[in-house]
Amino acid sequence: MRCNSTLFLVMLFASTYSAASEPIKVASKNFGESYILGELTAQLLEQDGFDVERRFGLGGTLICYEALASGEIDLYVEYTGTIEQAILKLTERASIAELNERIAEKGIRLLEPLGFNNTYAIVVTRDVAERNGLHTVGDLATARDLKVVLSHEFLEREDGWPGLAAAYGLSSQVVGMEHGLAYQALNDGEIDVMDAYSTDGELKRYDLTILDDDKGFFPEYLAVPLIRKDLPARAVAVLRQLAGILDDPGMQAMNAEVVFGKRSFADVANEFLVNKGLADERLIVDAIWPNLVRNTLQHLKLTGIALAAAILVGVFASLAVFRIAALSRALIYFSGLLQTVPSIALLALMIPFFGIGMYPAIVALFLYSLLPILRNTITALTTLDPTLIRVATAMGLSNREQLRYVYIPLSLPSMLAGIRTAAVISIGTATLAAFIGAGGLGDPIVTGLALNDVGLILQGAVPAALLAIITELIFELIERLVLPGHLRVEAAG
Amino acid sequence: MRCNSTLFLVMLFASTYSAASEPIKVASKNFGESYILGELTAQLLEQDGFDVERRFGLGGTLICYEALASGEIDLYVEYTGTIEQAILKLTERASIAELNERIAEKGIRLLEPLGFNNTYAIVVTRDVAERNGLHTVGDLATARDLKVVLSHEFLEREDGWPGLAAAYGLSSQVVGMEHGLAYQALNDGEIDVMDAYSTDGELKRYDLTILDDDKGFFPEYLAVPLIRKDLPARAVAVLRQLAGILDDPGMQAMNAEVVFGKRSFADVANEFLVNKGLADERLIVDAIWPNLVRNTLQHLKLTGIALAAAILVGVFASLAVFRIAALSRALIYFSGLLQTVPSIALLALMIPFFGIGMYPAIVALFLYSLLPILRNTITALTTLDPTLIRVATAMGLSNREQLRYVYIPLSLPSMLAGIRTAAVISIGTATLAAFIGAGGLGDPIVTGLALNDVGLILQGAVPAALLAIITELIFELIERLVLPGHLRVEAAG
Amino acid sequence: MTNCVEFRGVDKSFVFGPDGPKKVLDGIELRFPEGITTAVVGESGSGKTTLLQLINAVLEPDAGEVRVFDEPIPDQHREKFRRRIGYSVQGAGLFPHMTNRDNVVLLAKLEGWIDDLIEERYQVLLAEMGLAMDVSNRYPRELSGGQQQRVGLCRALMLRPRLLLLDEPFSAVDPITRIGIYERFQAVQDHEGVSAVLVTHDMREAVRLAGNLVILREGKVLQHGPPQDVLNAPAHEYVEMLVKEHL
Amino acid sequence: MTNCVEFRGVDKSFVFGPDGPKKVLDGIELRFPEGITTAVVGESGSGKTTLLQLINAVLEPDAGEVRVFDEPIPDQHREKFRRRIGYSVQGAGLFPHMTNRDNVVLLAKLEGWIDDLIEERYQVLLAEMGLAMDVSNRYPRELSGGQQQRVGLCRALMLRPRLLLLDEPFSAVDPITRIGIYERFQAVQDHEGVSAVLVTHDMREAVRLAGNLVILREGKVLQHGPPQDVLNAPAHEYVEMLVKEHL
Ligand SMILES: Nc1ncnc2c1ncn2[C@@H]1O[C@H](COP(=O)(O)OP(=O)(O)OP(=O)(O)O)[C@@H](O)[C@H]1O
Ligand SMILES: Nc1ncnc2c1ncn2[C@@H]1O[C@H](COP(=O)(O)OP(=O)(O)OP(=O)(O)O)[C@@H](O)[C@H]1O
Ligand SMILES: [Mg+2]
Ligand SMILES: [Mg+2]
């Protein structure tokens, strides 16, 4: 008995320890609803004392899923339709249980759906619905003279309008329009019918009516937490509290709060949890700043580590080979070749070796940074005034001492120029790292490019630009400290 | 009468002149069949004495269509289904006449279809068809135990399997597989049914049977020349000869020749024209090389012009501002900011100003090349031995003469290092230019990335790498010619 | 009699260290007669090089005025002004990236001299300085110290300037070669009436070449006048030492 | 009597121009006695600097052998060998990126001397060379030519080398300061028995400081021996001219 209780204590300690040291990594995809759901799960876990690390805004289903399968993240909220089609490539509808069975071998499981179904919807204003007696999608077939406007994507996808029209025998003349503009046009009465996602915040805001898809044409996209099987039982129990808790209007309302109320994901998620009695109220600061800080820090980390490595390797390699012209040339050619691999291809090439996330991004950035550093260092070292080198030799400085006291200080301006160029180019290139889930300021840029959201793009581009300027300033400071004084003397005179 | 005939002569001359001086620009998209069709039209025009410029491999429907609408190209072969859906965003089938009517306002017209229809098809081996009595897609519903394997895309698209299964009431269990592998598997008898494009060369090679889409589920994708209305009447007449000339098996055969016969697009197209009595036989060299040469030349053009401009602007700007520390800094910061704009975003940003094609690519490359040149030049100019500057002043050299005889030659090594770095980075970045139809070695890379064709990627990546090496070698030669001799003296000693 | 150079109450300071600027030349009042050589002799660091660089306006005086050929130094087109003054830099100061020939002929080329004329003058100068033609296509770094110094002299003489500023021009040249150069120099001066300011540490050289002698110490003029006057009547203990050393 | 330096049939050529290599030193046979100064005098370009650089192995002889303190020059650890030889470079050759103090004390720091010792020696040297302490934190470019040359001398003397190679070390120093340095130099040599090779164009300096005199011309030794012997019996027309010039 005594023995057992000791064991129990050890296990308790171990689990506490692991909870304390290894945070649960919660991810989201890079669109609003997914961020909110990420916050919901994250805050729920935090409420229960878990340590949570947010890895939000990953670039798509595949990256999320791969990250989960490889254990780089512990959970995220996915949609059943997506699991069926994009992940498992099934052609028929499958139940949650069936999905769970098929996905089990990857060490992953689905929890119960949250409740809402985020699928395509055909919507009209309440006014239009009443005047035309519209209840189901099929009712559109008889209603005449309705202006139907659809988003370009919905128009083109066969599981969008073409299929729907076939299924319900619709023959309306339709026009394509930007999704964002269509809501406004609908509200202004300029158009009558449009497509939407069933949880769009606009549905609530404009009090729109969803026409019933009574033939079940649109597949189900139920939100479900997708978790690693090895998640602690207590965490699973905590997450289970979300089962069936959130219906379509609820999700619409939260999306609307974010889009129209300009509130942060975290804030909206917290309010929901408080209302459900699942969490205490917390003070949440405006989300733009923490995001910005987090992205900037991550960006700094990516470029900082890559640059530090490139400086180390570049400078040492240069010092090692510069006396041998052929080797110097080979080194420069090689790092030049790396530059000709397009950045996206290079990042993609890294995945087999380093997986997704920070490491491949750092390796790629490191490789890109080498050329300017190597070339400038080698050029400077090989074009020094040979008289001074002869003097250094004559005085009795060893090779190493010559490097330290003559070559390096005299090459420093050119060397630093190369490093600064590499640093700034890195800051630019690192925005691509978001493509493989490495985060950083590319996150808002990539998301912004995808969503055509200029504000979001600027949330990445402006700090990146500032970072470049600050980097320049810091290097100027460093130069002031390390540049041989005689240059400063001249600058003054 | 005399007056009239003079006018006629003038017009004749004018048209001949314009034919001679302004070639007809024939485009294609970036997949094999489109290249063949591009060659067909191009060679037919050439046979009739027209001067043709090939702009093949543009990156997608939108870029082709925009280029045609803006007059950057004169014609290419498109598919009716694509015109309906992707270009005109129609939701209903439209006749050629209707399409022509809608597209007319853009200054574009459709000619008669070539004859074949490149749509989705469900195929089986002749053997399987006979054993199971399969003729139509609907027959699959009754046949049991057939292994159905589909490409991932077809599996996911609602206008692919899901729609088809619904339309024909099919319930077979299906599996996803790489399209390229499936043909082999089908031929080996490992699978029974797969999807295909109705003009795939493999259909002919493996003697496969297309199951009849008797319910007309798959839309029609008839190939039609899409031409600018202002194309000379004689050219239109020439192109009209293609009407109805090419059926599905004919297109299959040509695709097979390219894929399995390893013959060039041009060669295959020429044979077809000769057989139809529309053109003389011509000697056509293996197509990889001309493509490679063309891409490489285009790449050189892009990077060459951009680099030349960057050298000019970079060096002159440096010489103009280096004496004023604040201005130098501002210039370097500004060019650093440009580096933080991710390349794809920069290319996209250029489109409103410079359209698609070469110009925006060159402008973007130019902007990216500035930083290394500026920084290295300014650094070198500001860290020269001030004693020599004092001597130059004391001797009576004017500012301009000091630049010419002292500053520039002494800064040359660092300057050239910056230029070489910029050149190599440009060669790498220029591979992205293919995204906006600027051609170059990015063409095969982008196509290869899209088609997952390593061979194609290498057709771009290897010459790009070689180009980088050759650039280095050329610069070494240049350095040998322009570097002040005292450095060479030292290198020798 | 006109003066080739005139200093009117010239001060010049350099900043070094935390003690603020230090006066390197202090109230210099001097007139150098035209057509003869003025020798400037004095302690190392006494301001001789600074004095020369004030004449060709590489440095600006902090106070006072420098006049050259009885005119103030022009504010504009200084390169033209400077080209009429040949300056042989202490320690040669050749451009390392130009061959020795290019160093010498650069200014003549910029002045648009025809090639034959340049080549003729170049060859004469080289011969006068006792340099072999094989130095022409070499770079300064490939010459001995004394050879470099003489190439620098050729450069200063190339344009036949009216005024020569010579900063220890023969210090690295051996005595025998030096005598030859002295003779050529005196012949040219007699013939063309060139004015010269010669900085030297060699009192015998100063007495031999100069018609006017200036003794500097710690930025101040100790004595000046014809060499024989100075030798005969040293006005200061330091001058006396110099004279004694000369004998 | 041991020799500090010995040349055994040494040849040295440089390549310049298309005529192939040219012999700069030709069959040099010389022995410099230990503990005294050997002065090397000769035409500019006659190979004096080359001779010095063969001693500290900055250059390799094409033929023959150079021995230092009766041993061949080691193949390895040459930096140790060179540190025992103080070398004052023609024209100072200071590192432009180090302050004057750093130029002087660099080797002592690398040798691991304690700071107090370094500082003490530094101050003594500066005083002996007539340099003010305010040159310490300035860069070489901020000194006059003669000041730079003396900083270079301090650097050569810093480690108290057994052998000094002095390449025209006083050429830019004024005669009065020079006399002070001569005296310090002779006192140190008498006291510590340092050997020195002094390249100079000043025959009087050579006669005053050296116990052994070598006359070079066009890469060949014209005469060598104690100065008085050379003065009394010049063995060659050129030597005769030098002697005459000296008087
Ligand atoms: N790096 C070099 N390349 C080619 N020739 C050289 C090189 N260094 C020296 N020489 C030549 O070798 C000869 C001897 O040079 P060295 O420097 O030894 O002369 P020196 O006796 O020291 O002359 P000075 O008194 O002028 O310093 C000269 O003719 C010089 O031109
Ligand atoms: N750039 C500078 N910065 C600070 N001090 C300087 C600078 N140039 C010269 N000096 C100082 O000014 C004083 C005069 O220098 P100058 O070069 O005129 O002396 P000089 O008489 O030519 O000496 P030398 O005979 O040694 O060449 C010296 O004390 C020197 O240290
Ligand atoms: Mg001086
Ligand atoms: Mg010498």
Side-chain angles (χ1 to χ4, degrees):
Chain A
M1 219 31 219
R2 211 182 142 255
C3 174
N4 260 352
S5 73
T6 316
L7 192 71
F8 175 77
L9 273 175
V10 169
M11 283 173 67
L12 187 74
F13 175 76
S15 80
T16 316
Y17 176 75
S18 96
S21 68
E22 282 247 22
I24 297 180
K25 280 162 276 170
V26 176
S28 86
K29 300 188 188 176
N30 51 9
F31 56 90
E33 186 170 296
S34 190
Y35 278 108
I36 297 176
L37 297 173
E39 276 294 341
L40 267 188
T41 45
Q43 289 186 22
L44 203 58
L45 289 167
E46 285 169 340
Q47 177 70 27
D48 212 65
F50 284 98
D51 209 2
V52 170
E53 187 183 314
R54 286 165 175 76
R55 302 192 57 179
F56 289 180
L58 294 188
T61 301
L62 214 74
I63 288 177
C64 279
Y65 178 70
E66 263 197 31
L68 188 65
S70 69
E72 281 192 61
I73 62 173
D74 291 314
L75 72 102
Y76 76 103
V77 177
E78 188 48 281
Y79 301 93
T80 50
T82 309
I83 299 174
E84 269 172 30
Q85 294 177 28
I87 297 178
L88 297 176
K89 315 268 188 210
L90 304 181
T91 48
E92 291 174 13
R93 308 278 156 87
S95 68
I96 300 277
E98 282 166 340
L99 292 177
N100 233 333
E101 212 169 280
R102 285 168 181 272
I103 214 164
E105 67 188 41
K106 299 281 183 184
I108 297 173
R109 60 188 280 207
L110 282 69
L111 297 186
E112 294 75 18
L114 304 193
F116 70 88
N117 173 21
N118 181 359
T119 183
Y120 278 123
I122 302 299
V123 298
V124 293
T125 57
R126 179 189 296 266
D127 185 44
V128 169
E130 282 169 5
R131 269 196 289 107
N132 297 277
L134 300 177
H135 299 289
T136 68
V137 177
D139 293 345
L140 288 175
T142 53
R144 290 274 144 201
D145 291 333
L146 288 180
K147 268 167 279 169
V148 181
V149 159
L150 303 175
S151 66
H152 294 123
E153 193 195 343
F154 188 74
L155 244 174
E156 275 176 50
R157 292 179 63 118
E158 201 61 28
D159 60 344
W161 182 255
L164 189 75
Y168 284 96
L170 307 178
S171 59
S172 321
Q173 188 63 45
V174 300
V175 191
M177 189 186 255
E178 264 310 302
H179 200 62
L181 299 175
Y183 276 116
Q184 194 57 50
L186 189 72
N187 195 45
D188 294 350
E190 287 174 26
I191 63 175
D192 300 311
V193 183
M194 65 177 283
D195 64 310
Y197 291 101
S198 57
T199 55
D200 277 355
E202 286 84 351
L203 302 189
K204 182 180 158 66
R205 169 159 169 110
Y206 297 124
D207 191 18
L208 304 180
T209 303
I210 296 182
L211 298 184
D212 196 9
D213 174 26
D214 52 355
K215 294 203 180 166
F217 175 80
F218 295 128
E220 270 191 336
Y221 285 82
L222 298 173
V224 287
L226 211 52
I227 68 171
R228 289 192 57 79
K229 274 195 189 158
D230 53 13
L231 209 62
R234 216 178 72 221
V236 177
V238 168
L239 291 170
R240 280 237 154 90
Q241 296 174 274
L242 290 172
I245 208 171
L246 182 53
D247 56 8
D248 289 14
M251 193 68 237
Q252 284 168 19
M254 283 204 272
N255 282 331
E257 281 300 312
V258 169
V259 179
F260 302 105
K262 300 283 175 209
R263 289 171 60 196
S264 73
F265 301 129
D267 195 11
V268 169
N270 183 241
E271 190 188 42
F272 176 84
L273 290 177
V274 170
N275 285 344
K276 295 287 177 185
L278 291 175
D280 303 330
E281 201 160 325
R282 37 161 122 177
L283 191 71
I284 285 161
V285 273
D286 192 359
I288 287 189
W289 293 107
N291 272 343
L292 213 145
V293 169
R294 188 175 41 82
N295 287 335
T296 307
L297 287 179
Q298 175 70 2
H299 207 85
L300 270 177
K301 196 165 157 193
L302 290 172
T303 47
I305 296 177
L307 190 68
I311 293 172
L312 261 168
V313 172
V315 171
F316 276 96
S318 302
L319 290 174
V321 306
F322 80 95
R323 288 179 213 264
I324 306 158
L327 259 184
S328 307
R329 226 175 281 147
L331 198 65
I332 286 179
Y333 288 5
F334 172 72
S335 60
L337 289 190
L338 291 174
Q339 297 281 350
T340 65
V341 187
S343 37
I344 297 184
L346 186 61
L347 288 174
L349 281 175
M350 294 285 140
I351 294 184
F353 303 102
F354 303 98
I356 65 153
M358 222 168 74
Y359 297 105
I362 289 177
V363 173
L365 288 175
F366 159 76
L367 292 176
Y368 278 129
S369 300
L370 277 178
L371 182 65
I373 298 178
L374 276 175
R375 193 189 316 264
N376 268 26
T377 308
I378 289 178
T379 301
L381 289 172
T382 51
T383 55
L384 281 193
D385 182 353
T387 314
L388 294 177
I389 308 303
R390 178 163 288 195
V391 169
T393 309
M395 281 173 62
L397 296 188
S398 66
N399 269 342
R400 179 183 283 255
E401 288 161 351
Q402 287 185 25
L403 290 181
R404 165 85 180 74
Y405 293 101
V406 184
Y407 281 100
I408 293 179
L410 287 173
S411 307
L412 215 50
S414 174
M415 219 142 115
L416 278 171
I419 290 173
R420 289 172 73 166
T421 297
V424 171
I425 292 181
S426 269
I427 289 172
T429 312
T431 54
L432 291 176
F435 282 126
I436 50 170
L441 293 168
D443 254 15
I445 293 180
V446 169
T447 315
L449 281 174
L451 303 179
N452 217 350
D453 178 337
V454 175
L456 214 50
I457 294 179
L458 290 180
Q459 263 181 51
V462 171
L466 285 178
L467 220 52
I469 298 270
I470 291 171
T471 306
E472 294 279 10
L473 291 175
I474 290 174
F475 271 104
E476 253 158 52
L477 213 76
I478 293 177
E479 286 191 355
R480 224 159 275 193
L481 294 174
V482 305
L483 268 199
H486 70 297
L487 293 173
R488 264 172 286 144
V489 165
E490 299 310 328
Chain B
M1 214 37 215
R2 213 181 141 254
C3 174
N4 259 353
S5 73
T6 315
L7 193 70
F8 176 77
L9 273 174
V10 169
M11 283 173 69
L12 187 76
F13 175 76
S15 81
T16 316
Y17 176 75
S18 98
S21 67
E22 283 246 23
I24 297 180
K25 280 161 276 172
V26 177
S28 88
K29 300 187 188 178
N30 51 9
F31 56 90
E33 185 169 297
S34 190
Y35 278 107
I36 297 176
L37 297 173
E39 276 294 340
L40 267 187
T41 45
Q43 290 186 21
L44 203 59
L45 289 167
E46 285 168 342
Q47 178 69 27
D48 212 66
F50 285 97
D51 208 3
V52 169
E53 187 182 314
R54 285 166 175 75
R55 302 191 58 179
F56 289 0
L58 294 189
T61 301
L62 213 75
I63 286 176
C64 279
Y65 178 71
E66 263 197 32
L68 188 65
S70 68
E72 280 191 61
I73 61 171
D74 291 313
L75 72 102
Y76 76 103
V77 178
E78 188 49 281
Y79 300 92
T80 50
T82 309
I83 299 174
E84 269 171 30
Q85 293 176 28
I87 297 178
L88 297 177
K89 314 269 189 210
L90 305 181
T91 49
E92 291 175 14
R93 308 278 153 88
S95 68
I96 300 276
E98 282 166 340
L99 292 178
N100 233 334
E101 210 169 281
R102 284 166 184 274
I103 214 164
E105 65 187 43
K106 298 281 182 185
I108 297 174
R109 60 188 282 205
L110 281 69
L111 298 186
E112 294 75 17
L114 305 193
F116 70 89
N117 173 21
N118 180 359
T119 184
Y120 278 123
I122 301 299
V123 298
V124 293
T125 56
R126 180 188 295 266
D127 186 43
V128 169
E130 281 169 6
R131 269 195 287 109
N132 296 277
L134 299 177
H135 299 287
T136 69
V137 176
D139 293 344
L140 288 175
T142 53
R144 292 271 145 202
D145 291 332
L146 288 179
K147 268 167 280 169
V148 183
V149 158
L150 303 175
S151 66
H152 293 123
E153 194 197 342
F154 188 74
L155 245 174
E156 275 177 48
R157 292 180 62 120
E158 202 61 28
D159 59 344
W161 181 257
L164 190 74
Y168 284 96
L170 308 179
S171 58
S172 322
Q173 187 65 44
V174 300
V175 191
M177 189 186 253
E178 265 308 305
H179 200 62
L181 299 175
Y183 277 116
Q184 194 58 49
L186 189 71
N187 195 45
D188 294 350
E190 286 174 28
I191 63 175
D192 301 309
V193 184
M194 66 177 284
D195 64 309
Y197 291 102
S198 55
T199 55
D200 277 356
E202 286 85 350
L203 302 190
K204 180 179 159 66
R205 167 157 171 111
Y206 296 124
D207 191 18
L208 303 181
T209 303
I210 295 184
L211 298 184
D212 195 11
D213 174 23
D214 52 355
K215 294 203 181 166
F217 175 80
F218 294 128
E220 269 191 333
Y221 284 83
L222 298 172
V224 286
L226 211 52
I227 67 170
R228 288 193 57 79
K229 274 197 189 157
D230 52 15
L231 210 62
R234 216 179 72 221
V236 176
V238 168
L239 292 170
R240 281 237 155 89
Q241 295 174 274
L242 290 173
I245 208 170
L246 182 53
D247 57 8
D248 288 15
M251 193 69 237
Q252 283 169 20
M254 284 203 271
N255 281 331
E257 282 299 313
V258 169
V259 179
F260 301 105
K262 300 283 176 207
R263 290 172 58 196
S264 72
F265 301 129
D267 195 11
V268 169
N270 183 241
E271 189 187 42
F272 176 83
L273 290 176
V274 170
N275 285 344
K276 294 287 179 185
L278 290 176
D280 303 331
E281 202 160 327
R282 38 161 121 179
L283 190 71
I284 286 161
V285 272
D286 191 1
I288 287 190
W289 293 107
N291 271 345
L292 214 145
V293 169
R294 188 175 42 81
N295 286 337
T296 307
L297 287 180
Q298 175 70 0
H299 208 83
L300 270 177
K301 196 165 156 192
L302 291 173
T303 46
I305 296 178
L307 190 69
I311 293 173
L312 260 169
V313 172
V315 170
F316 276 95
S318 301
L319 290 174
V321 306
F322 80 96
R323 289 178 213 266
I324 305 157
L327 260 185
S328 308
R329 225 174 282 148
L331 197 64
I332 287 178
Y333 288 6
F334 173 72
S335 59
L337 289 190
L338 292 174
Q339 299 280 350
T340 65
V341 187
S343 37
I344 297 185
L346 187 61
L347 288 174
L349 281 175
M350 294 284 141
I351 293 184
F353 303 103
F354 302 98
I356 65 152
M358 224 168 73
Y359 297 106
I362 289 177
V363 173
L365 289 175
F366 160 76
L367 292 177
Y368 278 128
S369 300
L370 277 178
L371 183 65
I373 298 179
L374 275 175
R375 190 185 325 257
N376 268 25
T377 308
I378 289 178
T379 301
L381 289 172
T382 52
T383 56
L384 281 193
D385 182 352
T387 314
L388 294 177
I389 308 303
R390 178 162 288 193
V391 169
T393 308
M395 282 173 60
L397 296 188
S398 66
N399 269 343
R400 177 182 283 256
E401 288 160 353
Q402 288 186 25
L403 290 181
R404 165 86 180 71
Y405 293 100
V406 184
Y407 281 100
I408 293 179
L410 287 173
S411 306
L412 215 51
S414 174
M415 218 142 113
L416 279 171
I419 291 173
R420 288 171 75 165
T421 297
V424 171
I425 292 182
S426 269
I427 289 172
T429 312
T431 54
L432 291 176
F435 281 126
I436 50 169
L441 293 167
D443 255 15
I445 293 180
V446 169
T447 315
L449 281 175
L451 303 179
N452 218 350
D453 178 338
V454 175
L456 213 52
I457 294 178
L458 290 181
Q459 264 181 49
V462 170
L466 286 178
L467 219 54
I469 299 269
I470 292 171
T471 305
E472 295 278 8
L473 291 176
I474 289 175
F475 270 105
E476 253 158 52
L477 213 77
I478 293 177
E479 286 190 356
R480 224 159 274 194
L481 293 175
V482 305
L483 267 199
H486 71 297
L487 293 173
R488 262 173 288 143
V489 165
E490 299 310 327
Chain C
M1 196 175 81
T2 47
N3 296 312
C4 63
V5 180
E6 196 178 340
F7 287 87
R8 294 186 178 173
V10 169
D11 286 357
K12 178 70 192 172
S13 303
F14 285 117
V15 183
F16 43 82
D19 319 337
K22 217 190 101 180
K23 259 193 191 159
V24 160
L25 288 176
D26 189 358
I28 302 291
E29 286 282 352
L30 281 173
R31 255 159 299 276
F32 300 168
E34 199 182 329
I36 62 167
T37 296
T38 297
V40 181
V41 175
E43 242 182 354
S44 167
S46 59
K48 303 181 295 296
T49 299
T50 308
L51 198 80
L52 288 191
Q53 293 187 337
L54 284 167
I55 297 172
N56 61 8
V58 172
L59 295 174
E60 296 283 341
D62 296 334
E65 193 194 1
V66 180
R67 295 171 69 89
V68 176
F69 291 116
D70 292 327
E71 283 184 22
I73 290 170
D75 276 340
Q76 303 211 313
H77 301 298
R78 289 214 164 151
E79 54 273 12
K80 278 195 186 158
F81 165 76
R82 292 189 183 113
R83 281 195 197 175
R84 265 173 273 134
I85 303 175
Y87 178 35
S88 119
V89 184
Q90 188 172 15
L94 300 174
F95 294 124
H97 59 290
M98 295 184 187
T99 61
N100 296 306
R101 174 191 265 114
D102 288 344
N103 264 287
V104 174
V105 304
L106 174 62
L107 281 178
K109 280 209 174 130
L110 292 179
E111 286 284 296
W113 288 23
I114 60 166
D115 287 352
D116 286 354
L117 202 64
I118 293 178
E119 189 57 28
E120 193 196 312
R121 175 122 184 100
Y122 174 72
Q123 301 220 1
V124 167
L125 284 173
L126 233 57
E128 284 183 357
M129 293 299 149
L131 288 168
M133 277 306 288
D134 68 7
V135 302
S136 299
N137 292 323
R138 286 195 267 162
Y139 289 89
R141 207 169 277 148
E142 298 172 283
L143 297 188
S144 79
Q147 288 166 339
Q148 286 179 26
Q149 198 169 43
R150 285 176 280 158
V151 172
L153 259 168
C154 291
R155 181 172 70 176
L157 294 166
M158 185 73 198
L159 291 187
R160 301 180 192 276
R162 262 181 92 188
L163 173 61
L164 273 172
L165 307 179
L166 305 172
D167 201 347
E168 306 184 25
F170 314 118
S171 63
V173 181
D174 62 287
I176 308 300
T177 308
R178 210 183 287 188
I179 291 169
I181 299 178
Y182 288 166
E183 281 163 6
R184 295 295 322 137
F185 179 71
Q186 281 171 317
V188 169
Q189 189 165 54
D190 291 349
H191 194 255
E192 302 182 12
V194 179
S195 313
V197 182
L198 169 71
V199 171
T200 180
H201 289 306
D202 187 336
M203 276 295 280
R204 294 199 294 170
E205 184 174 284
V207 171
R208 174 166 186 171
L209 295 180
N212 186 31
L213 182 60
V214 176
I215 314 281
L216 269 190
R217 198 185 181 201
E218 293 179 353
K220 292 210 172 73
V221 178
L222 289 186
Q223 190 170 4
H224 65 113
Q228 283 313 320
D229 296 6
V230 175
L231 290 184
N232 294 336
H236 189 279
E237 196 186 345
Y238 181 78
V239 183
E240 216 162 315
M241 281 166 67
L242 272 179
V243 171
K244 217 163 66 205
E245 177 60 17
H246 163 60
L247 297 176
Chain D
M1 194 177 83
T2 47
N3 297 312
C4 62
V5 179
E6 196 178 339
F7 287 87
R8 295 186 177 173
V10 169
D11 287 356
K12 178 70 193 173
S13 304
F14 285 117
V15 182
F16 42 82
D19 319 337
K22 219 190 102 179
K23 261 197 190 158
V24 160
L25 289 176
D26 189 359
I28 303 290
E29 286 282 352
L30 282 172
R31 256 158 298 277
F32 300 169
E34 201 183 326
I36 63 166
T37 296
T38 295
V40 180
V41 175
E43 240 181 357
S44 167
S46 59
K48 304 180 294 297
T49 299
T50 308
L51 198 80
L52 287 191
Q53 293 186 340
L54 284 167
I55 297 172
N56 62 6
V58 172
L59 294 175
E60 296 283 341
D62 297 334
E65 194 193 359
V66 180
R67 295 171 69 90
V68 176
F69 291 116
D70 291 328
E71 285 184 20
I73 290 170
D75 275 340
Q76 303 213 312
H77 301 299
R78 289 216 164 151
E79 54 272 13
K80 277 194 189 160
F81 164 77
R82 291 187 182 117
R83 282 194 196 174
R84 266 174 272 133
I85 303 176
Y87 177 35
S88 119
V89 184
Q90 188 173 15
L94 300 174
F95 294 125
H97 59 290
M98 296 183 187
T99 60
N100 296 305
R101 173 191 266 113
D102 288 344
N103 264 287
V104 174
V105 303
L106 174 62
L107 282 177
K109 280 208 175 131
L110 293 179
E111 286 284 296
W113 288 23
I114 60 165
D115 287 352
D116 287 353
L117 202 65
I118 293 178
E119 190 57 28
E120 193 196 310
R121 174 118 185 103
Y122 173 72
Q123 300 218 0
V124 168
L125 284 172
L126 235 56
E128 283 183 0
M129 293 299 149
L131 288 168
M133 278 303 290
D134 68 7
V135 303
S136 298
N137 292 322
R138 286 195 267 163
Y139 289 89
R141 206 168 278 150
E142 299 172 284
L143 297 188
S144 79
Q147 288 167 339
Q148 286 180 24
Q149 199 169 42
R150 286 176 280 158
V151 172
L153 260 169
C154 291
R155 182 172 69 177
L157 295 166
M158 185 73 197
L159 291 187
R160 302 179 193 276
R162 263 180 90 188
L163 173 60
L164 273 172
L165 306 179
L166 306 172
D167 200 348
E168 307 185 24
F170 314 118
S171 62
V173 181
D174 62 286
I176 308 300
T177 309
R178 210 183 287 189
I179 291 171
I181 301 178
Y182 288 167
E183 282 163 5
R184 295 298 318 140
F185 179 71
Q186 283 171 315
V188 170
Q189 191 164 51
D190 291 350
H191 194 254
E192 302 182 11
V194 180
S195 313
V197 183
L198 170 71
V199 170
T200 180
H201 289 306
D202 188 335
M203 276 295 280
R204 296 199 293 171
E205 184 173 284
V207 172
R208 172 164 186 171
L209 295 180
N212 185 31
L213 182 60
V214 175
I215 315 281
L216 270 189
R217 198 185 180 199
E218 291 179 355
K220 293 209 173 75
V221 178
L222 290 186
Q223 189 169 5
H224 65 113
Q228 284 312 319
D229 295 6
V230 175
L231 290 184
N232 294 336
H236 188 280
E237 194 185 346
Y238 181 78
V239 182
E240 215 162 315
M241 281 167 69
L242 273 179
V243 171
K244 219 163 65 205
E245 178 60 18
H246 163 59
L247 298 173

